[in-house]
């Protein structure tokens, strides 16, 4: 039964996927053969999902039969219902303005693109976290007091201090369009006085993370291979800097993408 924080994160990762939640709910009615489960879930990724659930300690596999482990039964029994959605009031917030672009520099991951710095006034401060639901693919970090927004290849980071950083921009005109859109979306919400209800966090797929790793299975990170490293990365049992190959120039773009993906975990 998971007891330490790392094991708890592995359970959270396992249950973040809809297919794996469906498997656990099916097992609540009794043991199921892998053949029967394959007919319901599909056989293409079944082994992968079962491996994740087994590593999290939620299921046991015995001669082609899948069943809940003792911890899995307790987990299902103690699982709470969906909490009531609430809205956050920030009616005292003032409309924001985006100050002139302060810096244009080549993007590290792609020298044909630009990295842009600007400034938001007044600084969003305490309302920054409340803005997260306004953007379809975004993630707020308490630790960094920052909101990362991804739209296509463009990655925007807003800090509580008011600093705004945009990566993978084609030119200054595109940067101005992104900043203007950002201002409009935020000010529209402020004008209403109430932020949208918190939404479910963006879910990152394990295979998406694995795709951007070097996939050389060099073992320098201490894991058996890149796939094992990806699993532990998703469970926050290891950090991205453990993969030393990502620091080499040919993997700069991969590292840029992985830094964004892992911020959603």
């Amino acid at each position: 039964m998971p007891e330490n924080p790392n094991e708890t994160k592995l359970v959270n990762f396992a249950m973040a996927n809809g297919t794996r939640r469906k498997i656990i709910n099916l097992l609540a009615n009794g043991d199921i053969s892998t053949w029967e489960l394959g007919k319901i879930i599909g056989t293409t990724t079944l082994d992968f999902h079962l491996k994740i659930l087994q590593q999290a300690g939620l299921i046991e596999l015995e001669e082609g039969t899948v069943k809940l482990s003792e911890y899995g039964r307790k987990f299902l029994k103690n699982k709470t219902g969906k909490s009531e959605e609430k809205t956050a009031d920030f009616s005292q917030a003032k409309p924001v303005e985006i100050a002139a672009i302060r810096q244009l520099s080549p993007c590290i991951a792609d020298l044909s693109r630009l990295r842009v710095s600007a400034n938001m006034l007044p600084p969003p401060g305490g309302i920054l976290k409340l803005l997260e639901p306004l953007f379809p693919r975004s993630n707020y970090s308490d630790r960094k007091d920052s909101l990362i927004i991804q739209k296509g290849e463009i990655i925007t980071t807003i800090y509580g201090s008011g600093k705004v950083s945009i990566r993978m921009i084609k030119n200054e005109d595109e940067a101005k369009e992104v900043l203007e859109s950002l201002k409009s979306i935020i000010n529209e919400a402020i004008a209403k006085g109430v932020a949208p209800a918190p939404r479910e966090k963006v879910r990152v797929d394990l295979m998406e993370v694995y795709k951007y790793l070097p996939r050389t299975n060099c073992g320098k990170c201490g894991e058996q291979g890149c796939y094992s490293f990806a699993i532990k990365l998703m469970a926050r049992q290891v950090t991205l800097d453990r993969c030393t190959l990502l620091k080499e120039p040919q993997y700069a773009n991969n590292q840029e993408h992985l830094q964004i993906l892992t911020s959603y975990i």
Side-chain angles (χ1 to χ4, degrees):
M1 176 176 174
E3 295 178 350
N4 67 51
N6 284 338
E7 291 174 330
T8 300
K9 288 172 183 175
L10 194 58
V11 171
N12 291 339
F13 165 56
M15 295 304 294
N17 178 272
T19 299
R20 293 194 285 273
R21 291 196 297 271
K22 185 174 182 179
I23 291 173
I24 291 295
N25 288 328
L26 286 170
L27 291 173
N29 298 318
D31 302 350
I32 306 176
S33 70
T34 53
W35 180 79
E36 290 176 306
L37 203 51
K39 288 177 64 178
I40 300 170
I41 302 300
T43 58
T44 306
T45 59
L46 179 60
D47 288 344
F48 161 71
H49 289 303
L50 292 180
K51 182 178 180 181
I52 297 296
L53 290 169
Q54 192 174 30
Q55 287 180 333
L58 293 165
I59 67 168
E60 295 176 357
L61 292 171
E62 292 183 3
E63 298 180 352
T65 300
V66 187
K67 63 180 182 179
L68 287 172
S69 64
E70 181 181 352
Y71 173 70
R73 289 192 294 273
K74 290 180 180 178
F75 174 85
L76 201 59
K77 183 179 179 180
N78 295 330
K79 186 175 65 174
T80 58
K82 186 177 180 181
S83 58
E84 183 180 354
E85 290 187 346
K86 298 179 180 180
T87 58
D89 181 7
F90 60 110
S91 57
Q92 301 305 310
K94 297 179 180 179
V96 301
E97 289 291 337
I98 308 291
I101 293 171
R102 295 187 289 107
Q103 182 180 355
L104 284 170
S105 57
C107 203
I108 297 172
D110 185 345
L111 296 179
S112 68
R113 298 297 180 99
L114 297 173
R115 181 188 296 264
V116 176
S117 293
N119 203 45
M120 182 179 291
L121 296 172
I127 72 163
L128 185 59
K129 184 175 183 178
L130 307 182
L131 301 177
E132 184 182 38
L134 297 174
F135 306 95
R137 191 170 178 83
S138 63
N139 185 61
Y140 175 78
S141 169
D142 281 304
R143 184 170 58 86
K144 296 183 179 180
D145 188 24
S146 64
L147 178 64
I148 296 177
I149 304 163
Q150 186 173 16
K151 186 175 182 181
E153 291 187 323
I154 298 174
I155 301 159
T156 303
T157 306
I158 308 172
Y159 296 89
S161 63
K163 178 183 176 183
V164 180
S165 174
I166 312 176
R167 287 174 280 179
M168 303 298 282
I169 286 289
K170 293 177 182 177
N171 50 51
E172 187 171 353
D173 287 339
E174 184 176 47
K176 290 178 180 178
E177 288 177 9
V178 171
L179 290 171
E180 184 62 32
S181 173
L182 190 68
K183 183 181 78 170
S184 297
I185 291 171
I186 293 173
N187 284 342
E188 184 179 345
I190 289 175
K192 293 178 180 177
V194 180
R199 55 165 169 72
E200 186 178 357
K201 289 283 187 179
V202 172
R203 299 300 182 188
V204 178
D205 185 76
L206 173 64
M207 295 309 294
E208 189 177 6
V209 171
Y210 176 67
K211 179 177 70 175
Y212 287 107
L213 288 172
R215 290 183 285 176
T216 59
N217 299 322
C218 67
K220 292 180 181 179
C221 62
E223 302 300 325
Q224 292 182 345
C226 292
Y227 188 73
S228 297
F229 180 75
I231 290 175
K232 291 198 173 182
L233 193 63
M234 290 290 290
R236 289 194 174 276
Q237 292 181 315
V238 297
T239 55
L240 197 58
D241 59 7
R242 285 272 295 275
C243 180
T244 55
L245 282 181
L246 286 175
K247 299 174 183 178
E248 297 182 4
Q250 66 265 38
Y251 293 113
N253 192 46
N254 297 56
Q255 185 180 41
E256 182 97 19
H257 280 283
L258 284 167
Q259 285 173 340
I260 299 303
L261 287 172
T262 54
S263 73
Y264 294 123
I265 298 173

